[in-house]
Amino acid sequence: MKKVVTTVFIFIGVWFVASVLNGILCGISISVFDSGSFIDATEKVMLSFTCSFLFSIPLVGLVWLVTVIAQATGKSGHDLFQVVLTVTFICGLMGALFFITAMGDEFKDARFVAGLCIIISAMGGVMVFRKQLKAED
């Protein structure tokens, strides 16, 4: 039970770090590359923060669920970290594809850069907590 609770707190941290990083990166990339400018740069960054926090919840939940299943099957240390990193990349890719298809018409010039930012921020959130994920219990 302790592993599950610890994992919950780790993934709350991963979610927060990845969402903040994604909000900053996507907000800047949309502000720089999107010439449609229906809102100013500050509002784009705030919109990116809000969307990052809300839309990443299901993906972080999925990564957490796979992590708990991997822990239950005996994965720990580096093996567990590799599982988390792989699933995070796949979920980040799914999130990027969702953004490109769902928001592609609104942000035509920035959609691919913002999609890349989604993947980078997801991986960055996990990398911040690599020591905690690699810890042997």
Side-chain angles (χ1 to χ4, degrees), residues 26-39 44 103-111:
C26 282
I28 291 171
S29 66
I30 289 170
S31 297
V32 170
F33 290 105
D34 188 29
S35 59
S37 191
F38 65 95
I39 52 178
K44 287 179 183 178
M103 302 286 206
D105 292 336
E106 287 81 16
F107 305 108
K108 290 182 192 223
D109 296 333
R111 63 182 170 194

Side-chain angles (χ1 to χ4, degrees), residues 14-74:
V14 168
W15 170 67
F16 183 78
V17 169
S19 293
V20 168
L21 186 59
N22 188 47
I24 292 169
L25 292 176
C26 282
I28 291 171
S29 66
I30 289 170
S31 297
V32 170
F33 290 105
D34 188 29
S35 59
S37 191
F38 65 95
I39 52 178
D40 70 346
T42 306
E43 290 173 345
K44 287 179 183 178
V45 171
M46 294 310 294
L47 178 66
S48 294
F49 273 119
T50 304
C51 290
S52 295
F53 277 102
L54 293 177
F55 292 133
S56 64
I57 292 172
L59 296 174
V60 172
L62 181 63
V63 175
W64 171 78
L65 181 65
V66 170
T67 303
V68 170
I69 292 170
Q71 284 178 330
T73 60

Side-chain angles (χ1 to χ4, degrees), residues 99-120:
F99 176 82
I100 290 168
T101 57
M103 302 286 206
D105 292 336
E106 287 81 16
F107 305 108
K108 290 182 192 223
D109 296 333
R111 63 182 170 194
F112 295 113
V113 175
L116 181 63
C117 291
I118 291 170
I119 297 169
I120 290 170

Side-chain angles (χ1 to χ4, degrees), residues 11 14 63 83-93 119 122-124 126:
F11 275 94
V14 168
V63 175
V83 168
V84 172
L85 212 53
T86 303
V87 174
T88 300
F89 178 74
I90 292 168
C91 285
L93 189 61
I119 297 169
M123 300 298 284
V126 170

